């Protein structure tokens, strides 16, 4: 793959050090990755950046909104489309998934989504009981 046009990147002009956290693990690294994913969720070249990083074995830091560990797996599987920016089913905000089946941007939205699903399931169960 050719190098993406980083001139179009949402992170252009940002301090690129945030994409390469110094901390090896812990809350500091997770907070830095969350900050990076916010840039990437709204980036017009997010997927191109991710593919480029995987195909060129750029396994340090955050590229295309995806962590090092996930990019190592993607370099083998090539399932890049599972890691594109998504729209939250609750608030509509764009976010980078941290899991392949993620549909919510935050814990708060996820809680609301689970409450809605539980309410729908309760209604369906009541209907089944009522209708025999």
């Amino acid at each position: 793959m050719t190098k993406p046009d980083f001139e179009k990147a949402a992170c252009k002009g940002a301090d690129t050090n945030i994409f390469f956290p110094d901390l090896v693990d812990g809350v500091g690294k997770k907070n830095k990755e969350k900050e990076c994913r916010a840039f990437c969720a709204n980036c017009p070249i997010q997927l191109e950046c991710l593919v480029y990083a995987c195909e060129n074995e750029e396994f340090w830091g955050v590229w295309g909104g995806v962590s090092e560990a996930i990019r190592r797996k993607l370099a083998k599987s090539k399932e890049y489309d599972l890691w594109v920016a998504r729209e939250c089913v609750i608030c509509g905000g764009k976010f980078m998934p941290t899991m392949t089946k993620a549909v919510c941007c935050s814990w708060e939205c996820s809680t609301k989504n689970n409450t809605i699903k539980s309410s729908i399931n309760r209604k369906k169960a009541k209907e089944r009981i009522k209708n025999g």
Side-chain angles (χ1 to χ4, degrees):
M1 171 177 200
T2 59
K3 194 172 186 177
D5 184 359
F6 289 114
E7 291 295 314
K8 295 178 182 176
C11 61
K12 184 181 184 310
D15 179 7
T16 55
N17 287 328
I18 67 166
F19 294 93
F20 302 96
D22 293 330
L23 298 174
V24 176
D25 55 21
V27 175
K29 184 172 182 176
K30 295 247 183 258
N31 287 340
K32 291 283 187 188
E33 287 179 354
K34 186 176 181 179
E35 188 178 348
C36 296
R37 287 193 307 271
F39 272 105
C40 299
N42 295 296
C43 184
I45 65 163
Q46 179 266 322
L47 185 57
E48 296 167 48
C49 180
L50 173 59
V51 173
Y52 174 81
C54 292
E55 290 184 357
N56 289 283
E57 298 181 353
E58 293 283 357
F59 297 130
W60 183 47
V62 175
W63 288 73
V66 178
S67 70
E68 303 162 24
I70 294 170
R71 280 197 322 280
R72 287 184 187 279
K73 292 175 185 174
L74 282 175
K76 294 175 185 169
S77 73
K78 310 287 188 219
E79 294 177 316
Y80 306 117
D81 58 330
L82 296 176
W83 296 98
V84 296
R86 300 178 187 170
E87 190 173 297
C88 178
V89 297
I90 298 299
C91 72
K94 286 193 96 179
F95 74 100
M96 288 302 306
T98 54
M99 299 179 294
T100 57
K101 295 181 180 180
V103 295
C104 295
C105 66
S106 65
W107 181 84
E108 291 82 8
C109 284
S110 182
T111 301
K112 289 177 186 175
N113 188 45
N114 290 339
T115 301
I116 291 167
K117 287 192 312 191
S118 294
S119 175
I120 290 169
N121 288 338
R122 281 194 298 274
K123 286 178 186 175
K124 285 180 182 178
K126 285 179 184 177
E127 283 295 315
R128 275 190 241 132
I129 292 169
K130 182 178 174 182
N131 294 332

